[in-house]
Amino acid sequence: MDVLVSANQNVGQYYMATRPFSDASAMPPDNITTGIFQYTNSDGGLNASLITLPARDDTNATNSFISRIRNTNVTQNPPLKVPTGIDRRVFIAIATNSVPCNTSQCLLPNRFVASLNNVSFVFPRIDILQAYYNSSTGGVFTEDFPLNPPVFYDFTGNLTGFNTIAELGTRAVVLNYGEAVEIVLQATQLGGGGSHPIHLHGFSFYRVGSGSGNFNNETDPRTYNLVDPPLINTIHVPGKGWAALRFFANNPGVWFMHCHFERHSSWGMDTVFIVRNGTTTETSIRPPPSTMPRCPGT
């Protein structure tokens, strides 16, 4: 995300430092990145001591920091336009699961996958955008991604013995042009649990809320920030918690949503949002350039 820094301190040099956050069972390298913020004509010398950073797995510090991020009313930012009346609601449970494995290469009866709403995304051999634009979608994808989990359960509770079998599929969500969309992303304790950075192509969206535990669709929306929410394109879904985002579906096309942990994406923690054309040329998908390569065999 882009941040605005107000240079309103005494002239000098100041430390900047970042550390990765992870609540995964397998910790990444503890790479601390540092820099110096220096005022013009500074005489040199640091004006502050070394920074004490939170621990890598300090969930409270991470959630506290993210919750304080606000949209800033400056000319560099696009005008604030947060959807209020919602046309389409999507509730997505994030999980790691398994699917039956019936090939001779499997040593166990099931293999490990990841899923959104119990659908583990299968990457097709033909590009979904190409298939959709050419109206040749048969066998490439279906337009029936579930808008809710197939079963509501205690997402963040003890799921020992819970059925973790997922379905394989290339299933998309189809939106009408201009719809006001809300997506609630719910982390679960299925599989490894933990937090997830979820990225949506084609849009910047407003992060209107987050919380711990299972999302409550009656009480939790009352806590939303609809006044100055940050405009971002990747949202942190806290472990054992949820995050909510809103946007207007005003960019026609085929847009990939996926976890930005590459291993999770490769396991199937993905889906596709298709925004139908509007009523004008300006609100419709542009044709592909003549030099655009095609998938083999198409």
Side-chain angles (χ1 to χ4, degrees):
M1 66 177 61
D2 297 325
V3 298
L4 179 68
V5 177
S6 298
N8 56 11
Q9 302 299 306
N10 294 330
V11 172
Q13 295 178 321
Y14 297 86
Y15 270 121
M16 299 174 64
T18 64
R19 153 183 267 165
F21 166 78
S22 176
D23 56 3
S25 56
M27 278 288 184
D30 191 13
N31 293 326
I32 296 178
T33 302
T34 58
I36 294 177
F37 187 95
Q38 178 174 317
Y39 283 78
T40 303
N41 300 324
S42 171
D43 294 332
L46 289 168
N47 292 40
S49 59
L50 289 173
I51 297 171
T52 301
L53 295 171
R56 279 183 296 170
D57 59 351
D58 191 335
T59 300
N60 290 334
T62 299
N63 293 340
S64 174
F65 172 79
I66 293 175
S67 68
R68 296 198 307 269
I69 298 173
R70 294 290 186 269
N71 205 307
T72 306
N73 185 20
V74 293
T75 56
Q76 293 91 337
N77 281 348
L80 198 69
K81 191 177 181 182
V82 185
T84 52
I86 300 301
D87 303 306
R88 187 73 64 96
R89 299 182 189 274
V90 186
F91 184 95
I92 297 178
I94 305 169
T96 50
N97 334 53
S98 57
V99 294
C101 190
N102 302 318
T103 70
S104 59
Q105 298 176 338
C106 293
L107 300 178
L108 298 172
N110 297 326
R111 65 181 177 90
F112 193 72
V113 296
S115 70
L116 299 177
N117 277 355
N118 217 48
V119 178
S120 184
F121 188 80
V122 177
F123 288 87
R125 299 191 60 170
I126 298 175
D127 185 89
I128 295 177
L129 173 59
Q130 177 180 313
Y132 178 74
Y133 185 82
N134 293 328
S135 299
S136 56
T137 60
V140 180
F141 70 93
T142 58
E143 300 180 356
D144 59 349
F145 180 85
L147 302 185
N148 291 287
V151 177
F152 279 82
Y153 54 93
D154 185 4
F155 300 112
T156 57
N158 184 350
L159 299 176
T160 302
F162 190 80
N163 181 11
T164 63
I165 299 297
E167 299 179 5
L168 299 176
T170 310
R171 301 166 69 177
V173 179
V174 180
L175 304 172
N176 295 318
Y177 182 87
E179 281 188 320
V181 182
E182 177 179 298
I183 303 174
V184 175
L185 297 158
Q186 173 73 61
T188 74
Q189 288 298 96
L190 277 181
S195 60
H196 301 275
I198 301 296
H199 176 62
L200 175 61
H201 291 219
F203 293 92
S204 291
F205 49 75
Y206 293 102
R207 176 192 173 277
V208 296
S210 70
S212 60
N214 300 330
F215 178 77
N216 185 310
N217 63 1
E218 293 185 2
T219 59
D220 285 328
R222 300 172 193 166
T223 68
Y224 283 179
N225 173 17
L226 303 180
V227 177
D228 55 359
L231 185 66
I232 54 180
N233 59 40
T234 304
I235 191 167
H236 171 80
V237 182
K240 296 184 179 180
W242 57 270
L245 61 94
R246 289 184 175 186
F247 64 95
F248 287 103
N250 54 11
N251 191 8
V254 175
W255 305 111
F256 193 41
M257 174 181 267
H258 61 97
C259 181
H260 236 303
F261 291 144
E262 301 305 324
R263 63 187 183 278
H264 288 179
S265 180
S266 70
W267 295 341
M269 197 176 284
D270 325 276
T271 192
V272 168
F273 283 81
I274 297 176
V275 179
R276 291 190 174 106
N277 287 341
T279 58
T280 66
T281 301
E282 290 75 18
T283 59
S284 300
I285 299 176
R286 296 179 180 178
S290 60
T291 56
M292 182 176 177
R294 296 179 66 89
C295 293
T298 65

